[in-house]
Amino acid sequence: MKKSNWVYLVGLSFVAFFVSWIGTGFLDIAQSAPLIELEQRPPKVWITAGEATDELLFTPPPREFLERAPQTANITVTYAGVWDPQAQTAFEYAVSIWETQITSSIEIKVIAEWANLGAGILGGAGAANSDKNFPNAPIANTRYPIALANKLAGTDRYTAPDNCDTSVTINGPDICASFNSAFSNWYFGTDGNPSGKYDFVSVVLHEIGHGLGFFGSMTTGSSCGGTGLGCWGYGFYTDPFVYDRFTENAAGTTLLSYPNNSTQLFAQLVSNGVYFDGPNANTANGNTRVSLYAPATWQPGSSANV
Ligand SMILES: [Zn+2]
């Protein structure tokens, strides 16, 4: 979709996407399966300061949160870098919203870095790892972001020490997130009144969504074997990620029906016509599939995403 509409999606579709993947098949019967190592970390999905110009950059909390819905997930944050206490308070507030919107019996561990990310960047986040064919995996040969894999398996699948390329190391982080200390127009309040500044709570909400698993693994170029080629699995994994299984073109043809590492898939990815088509996402999007950002020039870290 148009990047300028991202705020709308945060409030509406992120939760629906996630719920649509989780379904109702939660089982807490742990089966023995080897724990996983880190092979290839899914890259972060970034958000830039220019993306939202026609909104006030504030995402209202969902109704359930405002009605004090119970906490159904435990998200813990380890902070890297020198954080402003106000920013941390805002971060924890965003986390508390997510904790009422998703359900998992497995702690979701975030490493959140405060760092100079350069001009124009607000932040980025991604899954710290991914897994496939774990106990209770809904779709075979499909990679799941690690927080979701843990939830579905009913066990913590990833426990290895990992620093998310920051200064702190924890056992088995699930989300790696970075926010820009060099950005000068943050609003750290939690009252939803940013007055033209960038509402940090909203940006954190958005990015945690990516970290929980709202990202595809499509990419283009050298990772796929050369210029003009498109592929899934970042060109590293031969299996797609679960998000990819919901992506399609304007005609409704699933992108996974095109050959991997192909010019045909590349053409789709830069077609300005890529959609996420899942039942719950569609319901939350006014009963229509969700348009994804797919400009004619591939944008690393944002194309084929929301
Ligand atoms: Zn995004």
Side-chain angles (χ1 to χ4, degrees):
M1 76 176 294
K2 254 188 95 199
K3 291 176 91 176
S4 62
N5 290 331
W6 67 266
V7 170
Y8 170 71
L9 269 185
V10 173
L12 203 58
S13 299
F14 269 17
V15 171
F17 288 166
F18 206 69
V19 170
S20 74
W21 301 347
I22 293 167
T24 56
F26 179 76
L27 297 172
D28 59 5
I29 304 164
Q31 300 172 23
S32 65
L35 296 176
I36 58 169
E37 300 296 323
L38 181 62
E39 298 173 317
Q40 175 81 0
R41 195 190 310 285
K44 289 170 182 161
V45 183
W46 299 95
I47 187 167
T48 62
E51 286 188 31
T53 53
D54 51 357
E55 289 97 357
L56 268 182
L57 311 162
F58 165 63
T59 308
R63 176 177 52 81
E64 297 90 338
F65 176 76
L66 296 174
E67 293 174 355
R68 300 181 187 278
Q71 178 184 341
T72 45
N74 179 25
I75 302 174
T76 58
V77 185
T78 302
Y79 294 94
V82 183
W83 279 74
D84 183 319
Q86 281 188 300
Q88 278 188 339
T89 299
F91 202 106
E92 296 293 332
Y93 180 74
V95 162
S96 71
I97 293 174
W98 270 113
E99 286 177 329
T100 68
Q101 300 299 304
I102 57 174
T103 302
S104 179
S105 66
I106 310 300
E107 177 186 357
I108 297 168
K109 291 176 275 189
V110 181
I111 292 180
E113 176 189 40
W114 187 249
N116 187 337
L117 303 176
I121 302 287
L122 297 178
N129 203 346
S130 64
D131 195 13
K132 70 165 185 173
N133 296 341
F134 46 84
N136 308 322
I139 309 172
N141 302 324
T142 301
R143 301 206 69 89
Y144 287 76
I146 193 63
L148 182 53
N150 289 347
K151 174 249 167 55
L152 292 164
T155 57
D156 192 350
R157 304 279 307 139
Y158 180 50
T159 60
D162 187 346
N163 66 7
C164 285
D165 306 311
T166 73
S167 59
V168 300
T169 298
I170 64 174
N171 291 328
D174 302 302
I175 296 175
C176 301
S178 300
F179 296 89
N180 195 356
S181 62
F183 185 68
S184 58
N185 202 25
W186 286 122
Y187 179 71
F188 292 136
T190 58
D191 59 357
N193 193 16
S195 306
K197 293 190 165 191
Y198 281 70
D199 189 52
F200 189 63
V201 170
S202 294
V203 174
V204 173
L205 273 177
H206 180 107
E207 288 301 327
I208 290 177
H210 287 308
L212 288 168
F214 291 106
F215 63 85
S217 73
M218 300 279 178
T219 191
T220 68
S222 57
S223 301
C224 308
T227 304
L229 300 177
C231 62
W232 60 77
Y234 311 114
F236 180 87
Y237 293 117
T238 54
D239 296 301
F241 278 61
V242 63
Y243 178 107
D244 303 324
R245 294 206 177 275
F246 293 85
T247 56
E248 64 185 30
N249 67 11
T253 303
T254 175
L255 296 193
L256 295 176
S257 69
Y258 295 91
N260 203 5
N261 306 304
S262 71
T263 54
Q264 297 96 311
L265 182 55
F266 177 87
Q268 297 299 319
L269 292 172
V270 294
S271 67
N272 269 305
V274 177
Y275 299 85
F276 187 103
D277 190 352
N280 290 352
N282 296 2
T283 298
N285 193 43
N287 294 312
T288 183
R289 61 187 180 169
V290 180
S291 180
L292 302 178
Y293 184 59
T297 300
W298 176 261
Q299 301 293 322
S302 54
S303 274
N305 275 293
V306 288

